Protein backbone atom coordinates (compact mmCIF):
# COMPACT_ATOMS: atom_id res chain seq x y z
CA UNK A 1 0.00 0.00 0.00
CA UNK A 2 2.17 2.82 1.23
CA UNK A 3 5.81 2.19 0.57
CA UNK A 4 8.22 5.06 0.94
CA UNK A 5 11.67 3.51 0.78
CA UNK A 6 14.04 5.93 -0.92
CA UNK A 7 16.14 4.19 -3.56
CA UNK A 8 19.47 5.76 -4.43
CA UNK A 9 21.17 2.77 -6.06
CA UNK A 10 20.42 -0.84 -6.99
CA UNK A 11 23.07 -3.34 -7.97
CA UNK A 12 22.64 -7.02 -8.80
CA UNK A 13 24.14 -9.16 -6.04
CA UNK A 14 24.19 -12.95 -6.02
CA UNK A 15 20.53 -14.00 -5.58
CA UNK A 16 19.19 -10.51 -5.10
CA UNK A 17 20.25 -6.90 -5.09
CA UNK A 18 22.47 -4.51 -3.18
CA UNK A 19 20.19 -1.60 -2.30
CA UNK A 20 21.56 1.84 -1.45
CA UNK A 21 25.07 0.48 -1.02
CA UNK A 22 24.66 -1.56 2.16
CA UNK A 23 21.39 -3.50 2.09
CA UNK A 24 21.38 -7.04 0.72
CA UNK A 25 17.89 -7.67 -0.54
CA UNK A 26 17.08 -11.30 -1.37
CA UNK A 27 14.85 -12.17 -4.30
CA UNK A 28 12.20 -13.36 -1.85
CA UNK A 29 8.54 -12.66 -2.47
CA UNK A 30 7.00 -10.56 0.26
CA UNK A 31 10.27 -8.88 1.17
CA UNK A 32 9.42 -5.23 1.62
CA UNK A 33 12.57 -3.88 -0.01
CA UNK A 34 12.29 -6.38 -2.88
CA UNK A 35 8.81 -5.07 -3.66
CA UNK A 36 10.23 -1.54 -3.76
CA UNK A 37 12.96 -2.65 -6.17
CA UNK A 38 10.39 -4.40 -8.40
CA UNK A 39 8.38 -1.18 -8.53
CA UNK A 40 11.56 0.79 -9.24
CA UNK A 41 12.42 -1.53 -12.14
CA UNK A 42 8.84 -1.35 -13.42
CA UNK A 43 9.28 2.42 -13.53
CA UNK A 44 11.96 1.92 -16.17
CA UNK A 45 15.08 1.79 -14.02
CA UNK A 46 17.82 -0.80 -14.51
CA UNK A 47 20.01 -2.25 -11.76
CA UNK A 48 23.74 -1.97 -12.16
CA UNK A 49 25.59 -5.21 -12.98
CA UNK A 50 26.93 -7.21 -10.07
CA UNK A 51 30.49 -6.28 -10.88
CA UNK A 52 31.76 -3.30 -12.83
CA UNK A 53 34.77 -3.84 -15.13
CA UNK A 54 37.03 -2.26 -12.54
CA UNK A 55 35.76 -4.64 -9.84
CA UNK A 56 36.24 -7.64 -12.13
CA UNK A 57 39.81 -6.48 -12.78
CA UNK A 58 40.50 -6.18 -9.05
CA UNK A 59 39.10 -9.67 -8.47
CA UNK A 60 41.15 -11.14 -11.36
CA UNK A 61 44.32 -9.47 -10.05
CA UNK A 62 43.74 -10.77 -6.52
CA UNK A 63 43.14 -14.26 -7.84
CA UNK A 64 46.20 -14.22 -10.08
CA UNK A 65 48.39 -12.81 -7.32
CA UNK A 66 47.23 -15.56 -4.97
CA UNK A 67 48.08 -18.09 -7.68
CA UNK A 68 51.57 -16.60 -8.18
CA UNK A 69 52.19 -16.55 -4.43
CA UNK A 70 51.13 -20.17 -4.09
CA UNK A 71 53.50 -21.16 -6.93
CA UNK A 72 56.33 -19.22 -5.30
CA UNK A 73 55.72 -20.85 -1.91
CA UNK A 74 55.58 -24.33 -3.45
CA UNK A 75 58.81 -23.78 -5.42
CA UNK A 76 60.71 -22.45 -2.43
CA UNK A 77 59.52 -25.33 -0.26
CA UNK A 78 60.71 -27.80 -2.88
CA UNK A 79 64.08 -26.04 -3.12
CA UNK A 80 64.92 -26.07 0.58
CA UNK A 81 63.49 -29.54 1.10
CA UNK A 82 63.31 -30.66 4.71
CA UNK A 83 66.06 -28.33 5.90
CA UNK A 84 64.96 -26.81 9.17
CA UNK A 85 65.10 -23.09 9.91
CA UNK A 86 68.11 -23.37 12.24
CA UNK A 87 70.25 -24.96 9.54
CA UNK A 88 69.04 -22.38 7.01
CA UNK A 89 70.12 -19.66 9.44
CA UNK A 90 73.65 -21.10 9.42
CA UNK A 91 73.95 -21.13 5.63
CA UNK A 92 75.36 -17.63 5.36
CA UNK A 93 78.04 -18.40 8.00
CA UNK A 94 78.92 -21.69 6.30
CA UNK A 95 79.31 -19.96 2.93
CA UNK A 96 81.33 -17.08 4.35
CA UNK A 97 83.76 -19.43 6.11
CA UNK A 98 84.02 -21.66 2.99
CA UNK A 99 84.83 -18.77 0.67
CA UNK A 100 87.32 -17.35 3.16
CA UNK A 101 89.01 -20.75 3.52
CA UNK A 102 89.31 -21.17 -0.27
CA UNK A 103 90.95 -17.77 -0.44
CA UNK A 104 93.35 -18.55 2.42
CA UNK A 105 93.73 -21.77 4.34
CA UNK A 106 95.13 -19.76 7.24
CA UNK A 107 91.74 -18.38 8.14
CA UNK A 108 89.88 -19.84 11.10
CA UNK A 109 86.71 -21.82 10.24
CA UNK A 110 85.15 -22.76 13.57
CA UNK A 111 81.75 -23.77 12.14
CA UNK A 112 83.11 -25.75 9.16
CA UNK A 113 85.90 -27.41 11.14
CA UNK A 114 83.49 -28.44 13.87
CA UNK A 115 81.03 -29.82 11.33
CA UNK A 116 83.77 -31.83 9.54
CA UNK A 117 84.72 -33.48 12.81
CA UNK A 118 81.13 -34.15 13.79
CA UNK A 119 80.15 -35.50 10.35
CA UNK A 120 82.99 -38.11 10.50
CA UNK A 121 83.04 -38.62 6.74
CA UNK A 122 86.81 -38.51 6.31
CA UNK A 123 86.52 -35.30 4.33
CA UNK A 124 88.88 -32.37 4.59
CA UNK A 125 87.81 -28.84 5.41
CA UNK A 126 88.78 -27.89 1.84
CA UNK A 127 86.54 -30.60 0.35
CA UNK A 128 83.68 -29.54 2.65
CA UNK A 129 84.21 -25.87 1.75
CA UNK A 130 84.02 -26.65 -1.97
CA UNK A 131 80.81 -28.67 -1.41
CA UNK A 132 79.22 -25.78 0.52
CA UNK A 133 80.14 -23.26 -2.18
CA UNK A 134 78.73 -25.52 -4.92
CA UNK A 135 75.48 -25.93 -2.98
CA UNK A 136 75.29 -22.20 -2.26
CA UNK A 137 75.76 -21.33 -5.92
CA UNK A 138 73.14 -23.89 -7.00
CA UNK A 139 70.67 -22.60 -4.40
CA UNK A 140 71.30 -18.99 -5.41
CA UNK A 141 70.75 -19.74 -9.09
CA UNK A 142 67.55 -21.68 -8.45
CA UNK A 143 66.15 -19.12 -5.98
CA UNK A 144 67.03 -16.30 -8.36
CA UNK A 145 64.82 -17.89 -11.00
CA UNK A 146 61.95 -18.49 -8.54
CA UNK A 147 62.07 -15.01 -7.02
CA UNK A 148 62.63 -13.31 -10.36
CA UNK A 149 59.64 -15.09 -11.86
CA UNK A 150 57.49 -14.17 -8.84
CA UNK A 151 58.50 -10.53 -9.04
CA UNK A 152 57.92 -10.46 -12.79
CA UNK A 153 54.43 -11.86 -12.25
CA UNK A 154 53.74 -9.32 -9.50
CA UNK A 155 54.74 -6.46 -11.79
CA UNK A 156 52.77 -7.85 -14.72
CA UNK A 157 49.68 -8.26 -12.54
CA UNK A 158 50.08 -4.76 -11.22
CA UNK A 159 50.46 -3.27 -14.70
CA UNK A 160 47.57 -5.19 -16.31
CA UNK A 161 44.63 -3.03 -17.29
CA UNK A 162 42.17 -5.70 -18.45
CA UNK A 163 40.98 -9.05 -17.16
CA UNK A 164 42.28 -10.67 -20.35
CA UNK A 165 45.77 -9.29 -19.69
CA UNK A 166 45.68 -10.69 -16.16
CA UNK A 167 44.49 -14.09 -17.33
CA UNK A 168 47.28 -14.21 -19.93
CA UNK A 169 49.98 -13.98 -17.24
CA UNK B 1 -10.09 -13.70 40.60
CA UNK B 2 -13.62 -14.42 39.49
CA UNK B 3 -14.54 -16.26 36.32
CA UNK B 4 -17.85 -15.29 34.81
CA UNK B 5 -19.61 -17.66 32.45
CA UNK B 6 -21.89 -16.60 29.63
CA UNK B 7 -24.07 -18.83 27.53
CA UNK B 8 -24.17 -18.77 23.74
CA UNK B 9 -26.69 -15.92 23.71
CA UNK B 10 -24.27 -13.82 25.70
CA UNK B 11 -26.36 -13.85 28.83
CA UNK B 12 -24.57 -14.06 32.12
CA UNK B 13 -25.33 -17.39 33.75
CA UNK B 14 -23.05 -18.01 36.66
CA UNK B 15 -19.77 -17.29 38.34
CA UNK B 16 -17.51 -20.29 38.15
CA UNK B 17 -15.09 -21.49 40.67
CA UNK B 18 -13.97 -24.39 38.52
CA UNK B 19 -13.05 -25.04 34.92
CA UNK B 20 -16.13 -24.94 32.64
CA UNK B 21 -16.87 -28.27 31.05
CA UNK B 22 -19.12 -27.41 28.13
CA UNK B 23 -18.94 -25.12 25.11
CA UNK B 24 -18.97 -21.73 26.75
CA UNK B 25 -17.79 -18.25 26.02
CA UNK B 26 -16.30 -16.34 28.88
CA UNK B 27 -16.09 -12.58 28.49
CA UNK B 28 -15.03 -9.68 30.63
CA UNK B 29 -17.84 -7.14 30.50
CA UNK B 30 -16.38 -4.67 32.97
CA UNK B 31 -12.82 -4.58 31.61
CA UNK B 32 -11.51 -5.69 34.96
CA UNK B 33 -8.88 -7.97 33.52
CA UNK B 34 -10.71 -11.12 34.49
CA UNK B 35 -9.15 -14.17 32.86
CA UNK B 36 -10.62 -15.10 29.50
CA UNK B 37 -11.06 -18.84 29.51
CA UNK B 38 -10.41 -20.82 26.39
CA UNK B 39 -7.68 -18.66 24.93
CA UNK B 40 -4.00 -18.33 25.57
CA UNK B 41 -3.22 -16.11 28.49
CA UNK B 42 -0.55 -14.28 26.51
CA UNK B 43 -1.99 -13.87 23.07
CA UNK B 44 -4.62 -11.24 23.83
CA UNK B 45 -3.13 -8.44 21.78
CA UNK B 46 -2.88 -8.83 18.02
CA UNK B 47 -0.31 -6.04 17.99
CA UNK B 48 3.32 -6.72 18.81
CA UNK B 49 5.18 -4.21 20.96
CA UNK B 50 1.98 -2.30 21.55
CA UNK B 51 3.45 -1.36 24.92
CA UNK B 52 6.48 0.27 23.22
CA UNK B 53 8.96 -1.76 25.26
CA UNK B 54 11.35 -2.53 22.41
CA UNK B 55 13.28 0.10 20.45
CA UNK B 56 15.90 -1.96 18.64
CA UNK B 57 16.11 0.42 15.67
CA UNK B 58 16.73 3.62 17.62
CA UNK B 59 15.12 5.79 20.25
CA UNK B 60 14.14 8.41 17.70
CA UNK B 61 13.66 8.78 13.97
CA UNK B 62 12.85 11.37 11.37
CA UNK B 63 12.83 9.09 8.32
CA UNK B 64 9.69 7.60 6.86
CA UNK B 65 10.38 3.97 7.66
CA UNK B 66 10.64 1.37 10.34
CA UNK B 67 13.19 3.22 12.40
CA UNK B 68 12.60 3.35 16.14
CA UNK B 69 9.95 1.30 17.99
CA UNK B 70 9.87 -2.33 16.85
CA UNK B 71 7.05 -3.38 14.55
CA UNK B 72 5.75 0.18 14.20
CA UNK B 73 6.05 1.83 10.80
CA UNK B 74 6.32 5.57 11.28
CA UNK B 75 5.60 6.95 7.85
CA UNK B 76 5.20 10.34 6.28
CA UNK B 77 4.84 11.92 2.89
CA UNK B 78 5.34 15.63 2.31
CA UNK B 79 4.97 16.53 5.96
CA UNK B 80 7.77 15.75 8.41
CA UNK B 81 8.03 14.53 11.95
CA UNK B 82 10.29 13.48 14.74
CA UNK B 83 9.20 10.28 16.38
CA UNK B 84 10.80 9.48 19.70
CA UNK B 85 10.79 7.32 22.78
CA UNK B 86 9.64 9.04 25.97
CA UNK B 87 10.07 7.46 29.39
CA UNK B 88 6.95 7.23 31.47
CA UNK B 89 6.91 9.24 34.69
CA UNK B 90 4.56 9.35 37.63
CA UNK B 91 1.89 11.09 35.55
CA UNK B 92 1.70 8.02 33.36
CA UNK B 93 2.26 5.48 36.15
CA UNK B 94 -0.74 6.82 37.96
CA UNK B 95 -2.82 5.74 34.98
CA UNK B 96 -1.03 2.77 33.41
CA UNK B 97 2.17 0.81 33.87
CA UNK B 98 4.57 1.15 30.97
CA UNK B 99 8.24 1.95 30.58
CA UNK B 100 7.87 4.16 27.51
CA UNK B 101 5.36 5.80 25.25
CA UNK B 102 5.54 6.94 21.64
CA UNK B 103 5.70 10.65 20.82
CA UNK B 104 5.26 12.13 17.36
CA UNK B 105 6.20 15.76 16.84
CA UNK B 106 4.45 16.60 13.60
CA UNK B 107 5.31 19.43 11.26
CA UNK B 108 2.59 19.52 8.65
CA UNK B 109 3.14 20.65 5.09
CA UNK B 110 0.15 21.40 2.90
CA UNK B 111 -0.54 18.90 0.15
CA UNK B 112 -3.48 16.69 -0.78
CA UNK B 113 -1.47 13.48 -0.46
CA UNK B 114 0.74 14.57 2.42
CA UNK B 115 0.42 12.65 5.66
CA UNK B 116 1.92 11.41 8.90
CA UNK B 117 0.96 7.95 10.14
CA UNK B 118 1.93 5.45 12.76
CA UNK B 119 0.93 1.99 11.69
CA UNK B 120 1.44 -1.67 12.36
CA UNK B 121 0.80 -4.51 9.94
CA UNK B 122 -0.51 -7.68 11.56
CA UNK B 123 0.75 -10.66 9.58
CA UNK B 124 -1.85 -13.05 8.15
CA UNK B 125 -5.08 -11.41 7.05
CA UNK B 126 -7.00 -14.47 8.24
CA UNK B 127 -6.35 -13.65 11.89
CA UNK B 128 -8.78 -10.75 12.16
CA UNK B 129 -11.04 -11.40 9.17
CA UNK B 130 -14.72 -11.38 10.09
CA UNK B 131 -14.02 -10.59 13.72
CA UNK B 132 -15.26 -7.88 15.99
CA UNK B 133 -12.19 -6.44 17.64
CA UNK B 134 -11.55 -3.63 20.06
CA UNK B 135 -8.71 -1.20 19.65
CA UNK B 136 -7.69 0.59 22.81
CA UNK B 137 -4.89 2.99 23.65
CA UNK B 138 -3.92 5.87 25.88
CA UNK B 139 -3.29 9.18 24.12
CA UNK B 140 -2.93 12.92 24.51
CA UNK B 141 -1.81 15.90 22.45
CA UNK B 142 -0.24 19.30 23.01
CA UNK B 143 -3.69 20.85 22.60
CA UNK B 144 -7.10 19.45 21.83
CA UNK B 145 -6.66 17.68 18.50
CA UNK B 146 -8.23 14.92 16.49
CA UNK B 147 -6.42 11.90 15.16
CA UNK B 148 -7.95 9.20 12.97
CA UNK B 149 -7.75 5.44 13.07
CA UNK B 150 -8.24 3.11 10.15
CA UNK B 151 -7.91 -0.61 9.44
CA UNK B 152 -6.65 -1.99 6.12
CA UNK B 153 -6.72 -5.50 4.69
CA UNK B 154 -4.00 -6.56 2.25
CA UNK B 155 -4.18 -9.86 0.45
CA UNK B 156 -0.52 -10.53 -0.29
CA UNK B 157 1.80 -10.87 -3.24
CA UNK B 158 2.16 -13.34 -6.07
CA UNK B 159 -0.45 -14.35 -8.61
CA UNK B 160 -3.44 -12.04 -8.81
CA UNK B 161 -4.54 -11.27 -5.26
CA UNK B 162 -7.64 -9.19 -4.56
CA UNK B 163 -7.07 -5.48 -4.18
CA UNK B 164 -6.49 -4.27 -0.65
CA UNK B 165 -9.34 -2.75 1.29
CA UNK B 166 -8.77 0.53 3.09
CA UNK B 167 -11.03 2.76 5.13
CA UNK B 168 -12.21 -0.01 7.47
CA UNK B 169 -13.56 1.51 10.67
CA UNK B 170 -12.15 4.92 9.85
CA UNK B 171 -13.09 7.42 12.52
CA UNK B 172 -11.82 10.43 14.38
CA UNK B 173 -10.58 10.28 17.96
CA UNK B 174 -10.62 13.51 19.97
CA UNK B 175 -7.48 13.88 22.07
CA UNK B 176 -7.09 16.35 24.90
CA UNK B 177 -4.01 17.59 26.72
CA UNK B 178 -4.34 14.95 29.41
CA UNK B 179 -3.95 11.20 29.10
CA UNK B 180 -7.19 9.47 28.26
CA UNK B 181 -7.89 5.88 27.35
CA UNK B 182 -9.80 5.33 24.13
CA UNK B 183 -11.66 2.20 23.17
CA UNK B 184 -12.98 1.65 19.65
CA UNK B 185 -14.77 -1.48 18.50
CA UNK B 186 -14.55 -2.35 14.81
CA UNK B 187 -15.83 -5.24 12.74
CA UNK B 188 -13.18 -6.38 10.30
CA UNK B 189 -14.71 -7.61 7.01
CA UNK B 190 -14.81 -11.29 6.18
CA UNK B 191 -12.47 -12.39 3.39
CA UNK B 192 -15.03 -14.70 1.80
CA UNK B 193 -14.66 -14.29 -1.94
CA UNK B 194 -11.19 -12.77 -1.72
CA UNK B 195 -8.17 -14.16 -3.54
CA UNK B 196 -4.99 -14.35 -1.52
CA UNK B 197 -1.58 -13.99 -3.15
CA UNK B 198 0.28 -17.13 -4.05
CA UNK B 199 3.43 -16.14 -2.16
CA UNK B 200 1.95 -17.29 1.12
CA UNK B 201 -0.17 -16.04 3.96
CA UNK B 202 2.89 -14.38 5.48
CA UNK B 203 2.66 -11.71 2.78
CA UNK B 204 -0.90 -10.78 3.79
CA UNK B 205 -1.86 -8.53 6.66
CA UNK B 206 -4.40 -6.47 8.50
CA UNK B 207 -3.01 -3.07 9.31
CA UNK B 208 -3.85 -0.49 11.92
CA UNK B 209 -3.18 3.06 10.76
CA UNK B 210 -3.11 5.92 13.23
CA UNK B 211 -3.34 9.13 11.21
CA UNK B 212 -1.92 12.29 12.71
CA UNK B 213 -1.91 14.53 9.64
CA UNK B 214 -3.62 13.85 6.32
CA UNK B 215 -4.19 15.86 3.16
CA UNK B 216 -7.62 16.11 1.58
CA UNK B 217 -6.83 13.36 -0.91
CA UNK B 218 -6.87 10.91 1.99
CA UNK B 219 -10.22 12.01 3.42
CA UNK B 220 -11.94 8.73 2.57
CA UNK B 221 -9.43 6.88 4.72
CA UNK B 222 -9.13 9.38 7.55
CA UNK B 223 -12.70 10.50 8.22
CA UNK B 224 -11.72 13.96 6.94
CA UNK B 225 -8.99 14.42 9.54
CA UNK B 226 -7.22 17.20 7.68
CA UNK B 227 -3.77 18.64 8.21
CA UNK B 228 -2.23 19.76 11.47
CA UNK B 229 1.05 20.24 13.26
CA UNK B 230 1.44 19.25 16.87
CA UNK B 231 2.68 16.71 19.38
CA UNK B 232 0.90 13.40 19.81
CA UNK B 233 1.59 10.89 22.59
CA UNK B 234 0.36 7.30 22.41
CA UNK B 235 0.78 4.42 24.87
CA UNK B 236 -0.35 0.84 25.41
CA UNK B 237 -2.03 0.10 22.11
CA UNK B 238 -4.06 -3.09 22.01
CA UNK B 239 -6.27 -4.88 19.54
CA UNK B 240 -8.17 -7.71 21.13
CA UNK B 241 -11.12 -9.92 20.33
CA UNK B 242 -14.57 -8.81 21.31
CA UNK B 243 -16.09 -5.48 22.16
CA UNK B 244 -14.39 -4.85 25.49
CA UNK B 245 -10.98 -3.36 26.13
CA UNK B 246 -9.32 -5.12 29.04
CA UNK B 247 -7.35 -3.03 31.46
CA UNK B 248 -4.35 -5.25 32.13
CA UNK B 249 -1.25 -5.46 30.00
CA UNK B 250 -0.29 -8.90 28.82
CA UNK B 251 2.86 -9.39 26.77
CA UNK B 252 2.96 -11.76 23.85
CA UNK B 253 2.66 -15.40 24.92
CA UNK B 254 2.37 -14.24 28.51
CA UNK B 255 6.05 -13.43 28.96
CA UNK B 256 8.22 -10.52 27.97
CA UNK B 257 10.51 -13.04 26.26
CA UNK B 258 7.59 -13.92 24.03
CA UNK B 259 7.22 -10.26 23.09
CA UNK B 260 10.93 -10.08 22.27
CA UNK B 261 10.77 -13.20 20.13
CA UNK B 262 7.68 -11.94 18.34
CA UNK B 263 9.53 -8.72 17.46
CA UNK B 264 12.54 -10.68 16.22
CA UNK B 265 10.47 -12.52 13.65
CA UNK B 266 10.50 -9.19 11.82
CA UNK B 267 13.68 -7.41 12.87
CA UNK B 268 16.87 -8.42 14.59
CA UNK B 269 20.28 -6.94 15.28
CA UNK B 270 23.06 -9.49 14.79
CA UNK B 271 26.68 -9.27 15.92
CA UNK B 272 29.20 -11.69 14.45
CA UNK B 273 32.83 -12.37 15.32
CA UNK B 274 35.35 -14.67 13.66
CA UNK B 275 39.04 -15.23 14.34
CA UNK B 276 41.74 -17.63 13.21
CA UNK B 277 45.43 -17.64 14.05
CA UNK B 278 46.59 -18.12 10.49
CA UNK B 279 45.16 -17.98 7.00
CA UNK B 280 47.05 -17.82 3.75
CA UNK B 281 46.62 -14.93 1.38
CA UNK B 282 43.35 -15.39 -0.46
CA UNK B 283 42.00 -17.78 2.17
CA UNK B 284 38.50 -17.28 3.58
CA UNK B 285 37.24 -17.06 7.13
CA UNK B 286 33.61 -17.13 8.13
CA UNK B 287 30.66 -19.36 8.80
CA UNK B 288 26.94 -19.69 9.17
CA UNK B 289 25.24 -16.98 11.20
CA UNK B 290 21.97 -18.15 12.71
CA UNK B 291 19.16 -15.71 13.43
CA UNK B 292 17.75 -15.81 16.95
CA UNK B 293 14.26 -16.18 15.48
CA UNK B 294 13.31 -17.44 12.08
CA UNK B 295 12.10 -14.58 9.96
CA UNK B 296 8.79 -14.05 8.21
CA UNK B 297 10.53 -14.21 4.85
CA UNK B 298 14.17 -14.05 3.75
CA UNK B 299 15.12 -10.70 5.29
CA UNK B 300 16.96 -7.70 3.98
CA UNK B 301 20.42 -7.81 5.51
CA UNK B 302 22.13 -4.51 6.21
CA UNK B 303 25.77 -4.22 7.24
CA UNK B 304 25.79 -1.55 9.95
CA UNK B 305 29.37 -1.60 11.19
CA UNK B 306 32.63 -3.45 10.78
CA UNK B 307 33.96 -3.31 14.31
CA UNK B 308 37.43 -4.62 15.20
CA UNK B 309 38.23 -5.36 11.57
CA UNK B 310 41.77 -6.74 11.51
CA UNK B 311 44.09 -5.25 8.92
CA UNK B 312 44.69 -8.62 7.31
CA UNK B 313 41.05 -8.95 6.36
CA UNK B 314 39.78 -7.74 3.05
CA UNK B 315 37.26 -4.99 3.64
CA UNK B 316 35.40 -6.14 0.56
CA UNK B 317 32.76 -8.42 1.98
CA UNK B 318 30.71 -11.39 0.99
CA UNK B 319 27.90 -11.92 3.43
CA UNK B 320 24.82 -12.70 1.43
CA UNK B 321 25.51 -16.36 0.77
CA UNK B 322 22.66 -18.69 1.69
CA UNK B 323 20.56 -15.83 3.03
CA UNK B 324 17.23 -17.31 4.09
CA UNK B 325 14.73 -17.12 6.93
CA UNK B 326 17.11 -18.91 9.30
CA UNK B 327 20.38 -17.09 8.74
CA UNK B 328 23.18 -16.42 6.31
CA UNK B 329 26.82 -17.18 5.61
CA UNK B 330 29.35 -14.46 6.25
CA UNK B 331 32.93 -14.74 5.10
CA UNK B 332 35.85 -12.48 4.38
CA UNK B 333 39.01 -12.94 2.37
CA UNK B 334 42.54 -12.85 3.82
CA UNK B 335 44.66 -10.02 2.49
CA UNK B 336 48.09 -10.88 3.88
CA UNK B 337 50.06 -14.10 3.52
CA UNK B 338 50.24 -14.73 7.25
CA UNK B 339 49.06 -13.51 10.62
CA UNK B 340 45.89 -13.32 12.62
CA UNK B 341 42.67 -12.95 10.67
CA UNK B 342 39.83 -11.48 12.69
CA UNK B 343 36.68 -9.50 12.13
CA UNK B 344 33.49 -8.52 13.91
CA UNK B 345 30.43 -7.20 12.16
CA UNK B 346 27.05 -5.84 13.06
CA UNK B 347 24.06 -6.50 10.82
CA UNK B 348 20.37 -5.88 10.93
CA UNK B 349 17.95 -8.35 9.39
CA UNK B 350 14.59 -6.92 8.46
CA UNK B 351 11.59 -8.97 7.39
CA UNK B 352 9.03 -6.29 8.19
CA UNK B 353 5.77 -6.14 6.30
Amino acid sequence: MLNTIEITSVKIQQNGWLLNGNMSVPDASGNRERESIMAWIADGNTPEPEFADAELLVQAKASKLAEATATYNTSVTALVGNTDQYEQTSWSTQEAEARAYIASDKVLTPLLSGMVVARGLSETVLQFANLIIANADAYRNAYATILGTYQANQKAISKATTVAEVQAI
Amino acid sequence: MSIKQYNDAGTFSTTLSAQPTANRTITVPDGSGTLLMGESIGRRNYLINGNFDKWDYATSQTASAYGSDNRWLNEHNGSSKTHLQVACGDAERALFNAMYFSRNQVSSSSGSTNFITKDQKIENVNLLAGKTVTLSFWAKADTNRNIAIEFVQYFGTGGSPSAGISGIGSQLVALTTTWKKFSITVTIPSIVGKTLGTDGVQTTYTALFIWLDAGSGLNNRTANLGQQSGTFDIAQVKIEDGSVATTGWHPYDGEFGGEVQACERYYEVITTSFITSYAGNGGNLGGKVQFTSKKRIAPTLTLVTDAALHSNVNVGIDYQMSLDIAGFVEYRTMQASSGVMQFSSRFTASAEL
Side-chain angles (χ1 to χ4, degrees):
Chain A
M1 296 241 171
L2 300 170
N3 205 339
T4 52
I5 297 169
E6 185 181 355
I7 294 179
T8 57
S9 68
V10 179
K11 190 174 181 181
I12 294 170
Q13 184 189 49
Q14 294 179 18
N15 298 319
W17 300 269
L18 181 66
L19 174 62
N20 296 343
N22 70 338
M23 302 169 76
S24 283
V25 181
D27 187 9
S29 297
N31 180 290
R32 178 178 165 77
E33 286 73 30
R34 182 225 187 230
E35 302 310 321
S36 295
I37 291 171
M38 291 294 101
W40 181 81
I41 292 172
D43 284 345
N45 297 293
T46 304
E48 298 172 43
E50 183 166 14
F51 300 110
D53 289 346
E55 290 171 302
L56 289 171
L57 180 61
V58 169
Q59 289 176 7
K61 285 187 172 187
S63 175
K64 184 60 77 174
L65 186 59
E67 183 186 323
T69 302
T71 301
Y72 167 81
N73 289 333
T74 302
S75 301
V76 171
T77 300
L79 181 63
V80 301
N82 295 325
T83 308
D84 65 44
Q85 59 175 324
Y86 304 106
E87 182 176 345
Q88 289 181 46
T89 306
S90 75
W91 283 357
S92 58
T93 306
Q94 290 182 44
E95 184 181 1
E97 287 189 7
R99 292 194 186 282
Y101 189 80
I102 298 295
S104 167
D105 60 4
K106 305 295 183 202
V107 72
L108 292 177
T109 56
L111 178 60
L112 264 56
S113 298
M115 289 176 69
V116 164
V117 171
R119 281 155 63 94
L121 299 176
S122 302
E123 61 192 342
T124 64
V125 172
L126 178 61
Q127 288 171 323
F128 189 43
N130 282 322
L131 180 62
I132 287 171
I133 290 169
N135 284 344
D137 288 343
Y139 172 82
R140 190 168 290 110
N141 289 338
Y143 184 69
T145 302
I146 294 168
L147 183 59
T149 302
Y150 182 47
Q151 290 182 346
N153 285 335
Q154 284 179 312
K155 288 187 191 306
I157 291 167
S158 177
K159 284 174 60 178
T161 57
T162 66
V163 172
E165 285 178 17
V166 173
Q167 289 171 340
I169 296 170
Chain B
M1 177 177 67
S2 65
I3 301 175
K4 297 176 181 179
Q5 179 188 15
Y6 284 73
N7 61 24
D8 291 344
T11 306
F12 173 75
S13 60
T14 186
T15 298
L16 302 178
S17 57
Q19 176 78 21
T21 56
N23 179 23
R24 300 179 175 100
T25 301
I26 308 294
T27 61
V28 188
D30 59 359
S32 65
T34 304
L35 178 64
L36 298 172
M37 297 299 293
E39 69 171 320
S40 161
I41 290 175
R43 189 69 180 279
R44 291 188 186 181
N45 191 357
Y46 286 106
L47 296 170
I48 299 171
N49 199 31
N51 201 33
F52 303 110
D53 290 309
K54 281 194 56 78
W55 298 71
D56 287 343
Y57 290 88
T59 54
S60 68
Q61 71 175 97
T62 56
S64 177
Y66 288 96
S68 47
D69 39 354
N70 288 59
R71 293 297 293 122
W72 289 97
L73 179 55
N74 296 292
E75 287 191 292
H76 65 251
N77 180 53
S79 298
S80 61
K81 95 285 182 170
T82 297
H83 174 258
L84 63 156
Q85 175 196 81
V86 181
C88 290
D90 285 345
E92 288 76 34
R93 291 175 186 137
L95 300 168
F96 54 86
N97 290 320
M99 185 67 78
Y100 306 110
F101 62 86
S102 156
R103 169 168 288 172
N104 254 300
Q105 296 169 328
V106 170
S107 179
S108 181
S109 177
S110 180
S112 65
T113 60
N114 289 0
F115 66 84
I116 304 278
T117 65
K118 181 175 191 66
D119 49 89
Q120 186 171 138
K121 294 168 180 172
I122 302 164
E123 180 183 345
N124 187 353
V125 73
N126 293 286
L127 279 182
L128 276 72
K131 287 185 175 179
T132 295
V133 296
T134 296
L135 163 70
S136 63
F137 56 89
W138 290 85
K140 66 182 174 71
D142 56 332
T143 187
N144 291 353
R145 298 183 187 281
N146 286 336
I147 61 173
I149 63 101
E150 176 205 24
F151 285 86
V152 168
Q153 287 178 313
Y154 181 71
F155 300 106
T157 62
S160 302
S162 300
I165 300 174
S166 57
I168 301 168
S170 294
Q171 56 193 280
L172 298 177
V173 180
L175 308 190
T176 65
T177 57
T178 57
W179 285 109
K180 185 179 173 188
K181 186 172 182 179
F182 298 90
S183 175
I184 299 156
T185 298
V186 175
T187 297
I188 306 298
S190 160
I191 58 169
V192 171
K194 299 297 181 188
T195 302
L196 270 57
T198 56
D199 288 338
V201 73
Q202 72 277 8
T203 67
T204 71
Y205 59 78
T206 305
L208 165 68
F209 280 77
I210 301 172
W211 296 86
L212 309 176
D213 169 55
S216 58
L218 297 160
N219 281 347
N220 60 337
R221 297 184 60 183
T222 65
N224 302 315
L225 174 65
Q227 295 208 258
Q228 58 184 341
S229 297
T231 299
F232 302 85
D233 296 338
I234 298 175
Q236 286 203 332
V237 191
K238 287 198 288 190
I239 297 174
E240 48 199 328
D241 284 330
S243 56
V244 174
T246 56
T247 55
W249 185 262
H250 308 280
Y252 214 83
D253 286 340
E255 308 244 356
F256 185 62
E259 193 84 22
V260 170
Q261 195 168 28
C263 288
E264 288 178 344
R265 175 172 168 79
Y266 303 92
Y267 181 80
E268 184 180 344
V269 179
I270 306 118
T271 301
T272 65
S273 185
F274 294 93
I275 184 168
T276 185
S277 58
Y278 174 80
N281 192 14
N284 293 324
L285 172 65
K288 177 79 174 179
V289 179
Q290 207 78 20
F291 296 135
T292 302
S293 296
K294 285 187 177 178
K295 299 291 174 279
R296 179 183 65 87
I297 41 95
T300 294
L301 196 63
T302 302
L303 177 67
V304 181
T305 55
D306 267 334
L309 191 67
H310 194 277
S311 59
N312 285 341
V313 177
N314 193 341
V315 178
I317 53 174
D318 294 290
Y319 55 78
Q320 202 208 21
M321 278 181 61
S322 305
L323 175 59
D324 58 23
I325 62 170
F328 62 99
V329 171
E330 179 188 18
Y331 73 90
R332 309 291 177 102
T333 305
M334 188 75 176
Q335 248 180 350
S337 58
S338 63
V340 172
M341 183 177 181
Q342 175 189 6
F343 62 88
S344 299
S345 313
R346 188 164 174 264
F347 294 92
T348 62
S350 174
E352 295 284 9
L353 279 155

